[in-house]
Amino acid sequence: MTNQDFNGDTDFLEEVFFDELNQELELDTLIVNKRISVRYRRNDIKAVVKTHSLLFPRLIKVLLLDISSKGAAIHSDAKLRLKSRVSFFLQFDDGKRFTIEAVVANTQSAPRYGLKFSAYQTELADHLLATQTDLQFG
């Protein structure tokens, strides 16, 4: 293809060959936050983590920073170990309770921790959406 193929319109030719939108992009390099599900920032949900230690299981009151059907970000003054299994207890203002098995997936920003739920929580996702009053998404 030459410039003469477009009747001398070189601007059009440059657009065809150098169109930035026509490039193959590696999405992982563009997206810093790789979270797929919607994360809700809620301050109306009480949260507790129970560690799964044989000798000293502990109940730790935590601050819920954000939550989705796949995981949660929490703030805890107690240290949590990476890849440790925990039970995550949630209580909504309407009395609804959830018990979710999870793994501590992120400790790099301690005292902020990331929990990854062992299974997708459909009922939790539905309840989060149904009780959402303040539209703040993470």
Side-chain angles (χ1 to χ4, degrees):
M1 195 177 282
T2 66
N3 289 351
Q4 279 71 26
D5 293 337
F6 293 102
N7 299 328
D9 188 356
T10 58
D11 289 338
F12 177 76
L13 182 63
E14 287 178 19
E15 286 179 29
V16 171
F17 287 118
F18 299 104
D19 185 1
E20 290 182 26
L21 299 175
N22 195 19
Q23 297 178 18
E24 286 190 31
L25 299 176
E26 188 69 35
L27 287 179
D28 285 343
T29 61
L30 295 178
I31 301 173
V32 174
N33 184 348
K34 297 180 184 179
R35 298 173 176 165
I36 295 172
S37 56
V38 174
R39 298 186 73 90
Y40 298 91
R41 294 183 182 164
R42 302 283 295 262
N43 57 11
D44 61 329
I45 304 170
K46 294 177 184 81
V48 174
V49 168
K50 179 182 176 188
T51 61
H52 288 208
S53 170
L54 292 175
L55 298 175
F56 301 106
R58 299 180 297 163
L59 283 177
I60 304 164
K61 186 175 179 180
V62 298
L63 175 64
L64 181 64
L65 301 174
D66 67 41
I67 187 165
S68 75
S69 57
K70 293 181 165 190
I74 61 170
H75 179 277
S76 172
D77 291 330
K79 290 187 178 185
L80 299 174
R81 285 190 351 254
L82 184 65
K83 297 183 182 178
S84 61
R85 290 186 24 223
V86 297
S87 295
F88 188 48
F89 302 101
L90 299 170
Q91 181 173 344
F92 285 75
D93 280 347
D94 65 1
K96 182 76 172 169
R97 295 178 182 203
F98 291 89
T99 300
I100 303 167
E101 296 304 313
V103 172
V104 178
N106 189 331
T107 60
Q108 293 176 340
S109 300
R112 179 186 170 115
Y113 295 92
L115 301 180
K116 180 180 178 185
F117 300 157
S118 299
Y120 184 81
Q121 302 294 317
T122 307
E123 187 180 351
L124 173 63
D126 292 343
H127 199 70
L128 285 166
L129 185 59
T131 59
Q132 180 72 22
T133 57
D134 187 15
L135 297 177
Q136 292 183 8
F137 299 97

